[in-house]
Amino acid sequence: MEGMADDSAAEMPEETGERGEGARFMDLPQLEARARGVIGVCAMDSKARSRPMANILERLQATGRYTVVFFGEKTILDEGIEKWPVCDFLIAFFSKGFPLEKALQYWRERRPFSVNSLVRQFLLLDRRVVLEMLRHIGVPTPAHVVASRDGGPWVHPALQQAIERRMGLRLGAANAADVEELDADTLRVGTEVIHKPFVEKPCDSEDHNIYIYYSRAQGGGVRRLFRKTGNKSSEFVPGPAHVRRDGSFIYEEFVDVDNAEDVKVYTVGQRYAHAEVRKSPVVDGHVRRDSAGKEIRFVRALTDAERGYARAVCKAFGQRVCGFDILRAAGRSLVMDVNGWSFVKGSEAYYDDAARILDTRFQKVLHHRWVARFVDPDAVGRAAECRWALKAVLAVCRHADRTPKQKSKCVLRSPSVVALLGDASTEVVLRNPSDLHRALDALLEARLNPHIADPLPTIDHLADVLGRKIAMPGTKVQLKSLKVDDSSAKTQSTSDNSPNAVLLILKWGGECTHAGLAQSLDLGEIMRKDLLLINSSLLEDVRIFASSERRVLSTVGAYASAFLNQPAEVLMPRVSVRPDMLDDSCVAAKDEMEVAKQQLRDFFNFHGPISANPFCSPGLQLPAEMGECPRSFLHDMCNIICRLIARMEQNFAELSCVDTLQPEWCCGETPDLFRERWKKILRDFRIVESDNVVYDPAKVGELYDSLKYDALHNRPFLERIFMPIHELQRDLQEHRVIPDHVPPEYPPDPLFSQQDVRDLYYRAKQLFDFVTRREYGIEPPQRKKIGVLASVPLLRQLIADLNAVRSEDGARTRFYFTKESHIHALLNLIFLCHMPTMVPYEHVGELDYLTHIIFEVYERKPDVDADLEREYSVRVGFSPGANCFHILDTNIDSTHALKVLPRRNFTYHMSLDKAISMLQSLLDDKCASKVSAEKEDTS
């Protein structure tokens, strides 16, 4: 790969924005040194603030020669171009929702140096135009015919004239619209004929629904390709299929590519091309991903001919930074698509090269522009300011990856256990080793009491578990005072000093893992890069609030050290620990959640279909894939668990080499702890009462957590310990080991071969997604009640911080680190207070580790001569965290960490006053008054 040469010929002369050298009439090096170049990033936020863009811009900014200005969606969509920032170098490219014509008008008005030609980006919007251009410049493409039912492609008038004048090509000619299927394998388009297999592509480049039709000799059917959804990029539909007739299409010959690979090419100027291969989506539609969520690809060298194609594409389409696809087949290389602005993901070498090439090009341009700064050097700095500047970031974040949480609880009346309450009137939590030993001694004393008031098996179980977990990080005993009314067999909380029983809850696990620390560091670094580029003053006023939970504080330590670039031990004393705001401290919210959980239990344990289920309500409509009988779904899932547990027990009993199934363990796990955890899952999920079996759907969280945890941290053991013993023995005899130095060309499909575990995972995922969100309210009124009860202190803090943005000077950043429950509650409230959300409630999936909800406040600075108040706008962003639906098929590296998914816009922009009013309306709810009264009683 070579450095980029002067490729100004790739630009339309009317769009380069360069000035001649005649203006250099005197030599003033000190003024030229003052002339920092301004790079304007004019793109939709999801692209402009992506990780690859941040990596390249950070490198350019690190040279000290550039200032980066993000236009931002609010400016791009709502402001006239006269209000857009002035810049020397413009990075502007089309994506969904981007006003390309408006950006072109801005360029014509301001004449910055445009990295990619804006007017020529119109060429990329229609596949017919792309193919015409490729044919004209001599780049080979698959044989094809075109059916135009729209009168032919639209071409920008100025562009059409320029292309005809400079290249002798007349774009926009109409093609045949007459399409006839002559037989099952033959299609006539106008006077041309094409035979199956062939590929049907919509002419609209933004439509990625591409169909491949197979011949009868191949078995027929159609494979439907689409934008990657999770780990799926296509699906096969068997049987006869007819071509689509509801639009304009291109019909290409089907190319049987070498090694079932597609080649993706990324250019940065005419002399630099980076190429990667991936498994073709035509093969089976399964996308292979690494732990960062990136599709698995391998770097490949291009042939001399392919490098020539890259130069020709870059020049003809006027796109220095672009991507296109190559098919290699039987010694041929065919270009099938040009994609416009594209970045390589996750390649530090590519980021270095791209920044170096752009820097070289920018410096050539900047050298010719320094006189403008000599005339009025300060004017550039003023004009470069964006009208809408990001002034505040308020982020509510869930903690990072943790070990599975487990607990046992029961009501005890033994005097030695009740005495552990001491002088506490309601609740006490024992965490210190000495206190935990006191609790263990109390249980052992109760066991020896001849007049024991509690069932001996219960005492034995609690003493055994506590004895084995007492040294594990995170182990704690929670005691809540109760009065037990023997006559009515009821229990109730008490606030006086004479309890006669306690609710003992023994908890262990739930500690932040090494993967969680890696995730936190990575997210903190990403956020730091983002805000440094957007508005570096956001890092000058930072406050962090945290829950008192150990896993939350561990997350905060790692995240803050990366975000603020300081050691955690320096930062942690400055973190505000707010259990009242960020712990689960509201009893009323828990009581209402228990009501929702009980309805879920009743709903799932009813014998019969949904249509006859008396516990069904509008919010309890099962997805089609879960069937018509909720109990049957749980019954089938429980049968899989029983089958797996039986195999595990047999393997532990009959194999002496269980410890060798996984050579290394992390997070304090052992084979015995794995076994104990899985047996407990079955006990908790299926409760046998006499002849009746009751399922507890609320326990699916523990099952799903364990499946995900083991898929990340204990995958070899998870895959093998649940095998039938004869298969496991054969597997051990064959010693199936792939040498580390010979990675497979592509991971086998499926990556995870134990089918019962795979089935259990997808069933648990379906149940988890259905049950978990409904634990925070089944119907909207209940969701609102629980959300308000759980979130009053947090809502008050958010409102206070939002008000402060307007009343105080300076940018600020606030983080609130908490647990999953607060994220669910807050997300429900965002919907229920009628913020202008972009995503339907039903489409919000799992809220995984490091899920975050971000309130971004933008300030619009008035014109210099205008006597107006400043305007403020709020937009909510959302990331589902380190989420991966197909976790069993994801390649995991040694960190065992999934990357956090990028933040996406969750609401449209709204005024700051409107956002505050919506949140304030929640505090005006009577439930909020109930929380306040509860807090006063507790005090």
Side-chain angles (χ1 to χ4, degrees):
M1 300 177 183
E2 303 175 48
M4 176 178 168
D6 185 349
D7 61 345
S8 59
E11 291 287 346
M12 299 286 291
E14 65 268 20
E15 200 171 334
T16 57
E18 296 189 45
R19 296 174 170 81
E21 293 194 28
R24 297 180 67 242
F25 57 89
M26 59 179 63
D27 185 14
L28 296 175
Q30 68 274 20
L31 275 181
E32 189 167 1
R34 275 183 73 184
R36 287 187 95 190
V38 178
I39 301 173
V41 183
C42 179
M44 302 304 280
D45 282 357
S46 62
K47 305 291 184 182
R49 295 170 66 177
S50 66
R51 188 179 298 201
M53 181 73 83
N55 276 298
I56 292 173
L57 293 177
E58 180 193 32
R59 285 163 168 79
L60 286 169
Q61 207 168 40
T63 65
R65 294 191 282 267
Y66 306 101
T67 298
V68 176
V69 175
F70 285 82
F71 285 29
E73 284 183 15
K74 184 69 173 169
T75 294
I76 293 170
L77 298 178
D78 296 346
E79 294 285 347
I81 59 172
E82 69 279 2
K83 305 295 185 183
W84 288 17
V86 173
C87 60
D88 298 295
F89 314 106
L90 180 64
I91 295 176
F93 53 92
F94 176 81
S95 63
K96 184 177 179 181
F98 182 76
L100 184 56
E101 180 66 41
K102 188 176 181 181
L104 178 59
Q105 292 172 4
Y106 165 80
W107 177 85
R108 286 173 173 163
E109 179 73 24
R110 298 294 188 183
R111 295 282 173 163
F113 174 83
S114 184
V115 175
N116 281 9
S117 167
L118 282 162
V119 70
R120 292 203 184 195
Q121 289 183 39
F122 285 103
L123 295 170
L124 305 175
L125 302 183
D126 195 301
R127 290 189 173 98
R128 292 168 293 190
V129 175
V130 171
L131 288 173
E132 280 190 77
M133 290 284 293
L134 292 173
R135 178 188 57 78
H136 187 78
I137 63 178
V139 173
T141 62
H144 60 274
V145 295
V146 179
S148 296
R149 296 186 176 92
D150 57 1
W154 178 85
V155 181
H156 195 283
L159 181 62
Q160 188 173 51
Q161 296 170 13
I163 293 291
E164 186 172 7
R165 184 174 68 251
R166 297 174 181 281
M167 300 178 65
L169 174 62
R170 179 70 178 177
L171 295 172
N175 303 99
D178 181 23
V179 177
E180 180 184 3
E181 293 180 85
L182 300 178
D183 57 44
D185 286 348
T186 309
L187 184 72
R188 179 184 62 79
V189 181
T191 60
E192 299 180 273
V193 172
I194 188 169
H195 300 280
K196 292 181 180 179
F198 57 71
V199 182
E200 179 187 64
K201 294 182 177 179
C203 292
D204 180 0
S205 296
E206 291 299 295
D207 188 343
H208 297 270
N209 295 295
I210 297 171
Y211 290 6
I212 302 171
Y213 297 88
Y214 296 98
S215 66
R216 284 177 295 182
Q218 295 171 301
V222 58
R223 179 165 288 279
R224 298 177 176 177
L225 281 62
F226 41 78
R227 275 199 182 277
K228 292 187 283 286
T229 304
N231 278 26
K232 196 173 183 181
S233 61
S234 72
E235 61 182 4
F236 180 75
V237 180
H242 299 284
V243 297
R244 290 172 284 180
R245 297 180 180 274
D246 55 347
S248 298
F249 296 94
I250 298 167
Y251 297 95
E252 289 182 354
E253 66 166 325
F254 176 75
V255 179
D256 192 7
V257 296
D258 300 339
N259 302 320
E261 293 175 341
D262 287 346
V263 182
K264 312 288 286 186
V265 182
Y266 303 86
T267 70
V268 187
Q270 293 184 37
R271 297 185 180 275
Y272 182 97
H274 173 97
E276 297 179 343
V277 297
R278 64 166 186 178
K279 191 191 76 169
S280 171
V282 173
V283 177
D284 58 11
H286 291 293
V287 181
R288 309 295 188 271
R289 296 189 185 275
D290 59 19
S291 58
K294 178 179 175 290
E295 184 178 27
I296 294 175
R297 298 180 179 181
F298 302 94
V299 177
R300 289 288 187 271
L302 293 174
T303 65
D304 290 342
E306 290 166 344
R307 284 194 292 273
Y309 301 156
R311 286 192 291 271
V313 167
C314 205
K315 179 178 180 179
F317 289 91
Q319 308 299 300
R320 286 184 172 84
V321 179
C322 77
F324 62 93
D325 303 331
I326 290 178
L327 302 178
R328 289 172 171 172
R332 299 185 300 163
S333 293
L334 306 173
V335 175
M336 64 170 181
D337 252 333
V338 179
N339 304 314
W341 190 283
S342 299
F343 276 146
V344 178
K345 297 177 182 177
S347 172
E348 295 297 319
Y350 169 83
Y351 299 147
D352 289 340
D353 291 339
R356 173 180 54 80
I357 293 168
L358 290 174
D359 178 40
T360 301
R361 193 72 182 94
F362 289 170
Q363 285 303 300
K364 288 182 180 179
V365 176
L366 197 60
H367 183 66
H368 301 318
R369 293 190 166 190
W370 69 275
V371 174
R373 289 162 176 74
F374 169 68
V375 176
D376 186 4
D378 295 326
V380 175
R382 293 198 303 269
E385 285 189 355
C386 190
R387 290 294 179 194
W388 284 98
L390 182 59
K391 187 179 179 183
V393 172
L394 316 179
V396 184
C397 311
R398 188 188 174 190
H399 59 76
D401 182 70
R402 57 159 171 75
T403 58
K405 290 191 301 180
Q406 297 181 80
K407 66 181 179 182
S408 289
K409 64 179 181 179
C410 59
V411 175
L412 300 177
R413 291 179 291 179
S414 297
S416 59
V417 178
V418 176
L420 291 171
L421 283 171
D423 296 330
S425 59
T426 56
E427 182 177 336
V428 65
V429 178
L430 308 177
R431 288 191 178 93
N432 295 330
S434 60
D435 291 334
L436 292 175
H437 278 286
R438 267 198 314 119
L440 179 59
D441 291 342
L443 289 170
L444 295 175
E445 181 181 339
R447 189 183 185 283
L448 298 175
N449 187 341
H451 305 292
I452 187 169
D454 302 303
L456 188 59
T458 300
I459 295 291
D460 284 342
H461 168 72
L462 289 171
D464 173 62
V465 173
L466 179 56
R468 287 184 290 108
K469 311 294 182 186
I470 202 165
M472 288 180 62
T475 299
K476 65 181 180 181
V477 172
Q478 191 174 355
L479 299 158
K480 296 182 179 181
S481 63
L482 298 173
K483 275 191 174 182
V484 177
D485 186 348
D486 292 323
S487 61
S488 61
K490 292 182 179 179
T491 63
Q492 58 185 26
S493 298
T494 180
S495 57
D496 61 30
N497 294 319
S498 58
N500 63 351
V502 294
L503 174 63
L504 187 148
I505 308 172
L506 172 58
K507 298 181 179 180
W508 65 97
E511 292 296 292
C512 193
T513 66
H514 59 98
L517 296 178
Q519 288 171 334
S520 303
L521 288 167
D522 185 61
L523 182 59
E525 182 181 348
I526 292 169
M527 184 70 82
R528 176 181 175 82
K529 288 180 179 179
D530 182 45
L531 297 189
L532 280 174
L533 289 168
I534 298 291
N535 182 0
S536 60
S537 61
L538 285 163
L539 277 77
E540 296 173 5
D541 181 3
V542 178
R543 289 192 64 189
I544 301 175
F545 303 91
S547 157
S548 64
E549 296 279 356
R550 286 165 51 99
R551 56 183 172 273
V552 175
L553 294 173
S554 297
T555 299
V556 170
Y559 180 92
S561 66
F563 180 75
L564 294 171
N565 197 26
Q566 296 182 47
E569 55 269 21
V570 174
L571 297 171
M572 288 306 291
R574 289 149 50 186
V575 172
S576 299
V577 179
R578 290 284 304 276
D580 62 308
M581 182 169 73
L582 299 168
D583 280 4
D584 292 333
S585 56
C586 180
V587 174
K590 294 179 182 178
D591 290 344
E592 190 62 35
M593 286 180 65
E594 188 55 43
V595 173
K597 290 180 182 180
Q598 187 58 53
Q599 184 178 346
L600 286 165
R601 291 188 195 100
D602 295 336
F603 172 76
F604 274 98
N605 282 284
F606 176 75
H607 292 265
I610 292 179
S611 57
N613 195 321
F615 305 102
C616 187
S617 65
L620 289 176
Q621 297 300 317
L622 283 181
E625 57 268 22
M626 292 181 70
E628 287 295 320
C629 182
R631 183 178 171 88
S632 295
F633 184 86
L634 264 60
H635 174 77
D636 294 343
M637 194 166 79
C638 194
N639 283 345
I640 299 175
I641 301 175
C642 291
R643 188 160 61 246
L644 293 175
I645 297 296
R647 289 177 190 168
M648 179 182 70
E649 290 295 270
Q650 184 179 13
N651 290 334
F652 266 95
E654 299 185 22
L655 292 176
S656 59
C657 56
V658 169
D659 290 354
T660 66
L661 298 183
Q662 179 171 300
E664 295 183 1
W665 292 76
C666 62
C667 307
E669 279 275 285
T670 66
D672 287 333
L673 289 174
F674 179 102
R675 178 187 187 186
E676 176 191 309
R677 174 158 48 84
W678 274 89
K679 289 170 69 177
K680 183 179 184 299
I681 287 171
L682 177 59
R683 286 197 310 270
D684 292 346
F685 188 75
R686 183 190 64 175
I687 304 167
V688 180
E689 299 176 346
S690 301
D691 297 331
N692 187 33
V693 175
V694 177
Y695 302 105
D696 188 353
K699 296 299 181 182
V700 70
E702 295 176 17
L703 168 62
Y704 184 58
D705 273 358
S706 283
L707 281 163
K708 289 201 306 177
Y709 174 82
D710 290 327
L712 289 172
H713 298 278
N714 302 319
R715 184 173 294 186
F717 200 78
L718 177 69
E719 187 167 12
R720 298 173 115 187
I721 196 61
F722 292 123
M723 286 182 175
I725 192 165
H726 62 279
E727 291 183 16
L728 181 54
Q729 289 172 332
R730 184 171 65 248
D731 183 79
L732 292 170
Q733 291 170 0
E734 292 174 356
H735 298 291
R736 292 184 301 152
V737 178
I738 299 175
D740 291 339
H741 60 282
V742 186
E745 188 73 1
Y746 288 105
D749 184 31
L751 283 172
F752 193 93
S753 60
Q754 222 305 312
Q755 192 59 42
D756 277 340
V757 176
R758 178 180 289 276
D759 290 346
L760 179 61
Y761 170 78
Y762 285 112
R763 286 176 177 270
K765 169 66 174 168
Q766 290 172 344
L767 183 61
F768 178 85
D769 286 345
F770 183 85
V771 168
T772 303
R773 66 162 59 189
R774 288 167 176 81
E775 292 179 342
Y776 298 91
I778 294 172
E779 304 300 337
Q782 189 179 45
R783 288 203 300 270
K784 183 177 181 180
K785 183 177 182 180
I786 292 173
V788 171
L789 288 171
S791 306
V792 166
L794 178 57
L795 286 172
R796 286 178 176 152
Q797 185 67 50
L798 286 171
I799 291 171
D801 287 336
L802 288 171
N803 275 314
V805 175
R806 181 171 43 199
S807 61
E808 300 175 11
D809 293 331
R812 78 260 333 276
T813 300
R814 302 290 183 263
F815 294 108
Y816 318 86
F817 282 89
T818 184
K819 303 162 67 174
E820 181 185 10
S821 57
H822 275 288
I823 303 294
H824 274 286
L826 180 59
L827 204 59
N828 283 341
L829 293 178
I830 288 174
F831 279 104
L832 293 167
C833 73
H834 307 297
M835 285 191 176
T837 55
M838 305 171 71
V839 181
Y841 174 75
E842 296 75 18
H843 292 180
V844 177
E846 179 183 349
L847 308 183
D848 219 318
Y849 301 123
L850 286 173
T851 291
H852 46 283
I853 302 168
I854 298 182
F855 294 80
E856 292 185 334
V857 185
Y858 292 83
E859 178 185 61
R860 186 186 190 280
K861 299 178 180 179
D863 296 339
V864 175
D865 298 328
D867 186 18
L868 300 172
E869 291 186 3
R870 299 193 174 199
E871 297 178 49
Y872 296 90
S873 179
V874 177
R875 183 180 61 189
V876 180
F878 171 75
S879 166
N883 184 259
C884 177
F885 184 84
H886 299 274
I887 195 170
L888 297 176
D889 292 333
T890 299
N891 277 23
I892 303 300
D893 61 22
S894 59
T895 66
H896 299 166
L898 296 173
K899 296 291 185 181
V900 175
L901 295 180
R903 178 189 64 251
R904 291 288 181 262
N905 295 339
F906 194 68
T907 70
Y908 297 98
H909 275 276
M910 66 196 108
S911 71
L912 178 60
D913 286 339
K914 185 175 181 180
I916 293 174
S917 175
M918 289 174 173
L919 294 175
Q920 185 63 50
S921 69
L922 298 169
L923 289 180
D924 295 338
D925 190 278
K926 61 182 180 181
C927 292
S929 302
K930 185 175 181 180
V931 175
S932 300
E934 182 181 303
K935 297 289 183 184
E936 291 175 6
D937 291 344
T938 304
S939 299

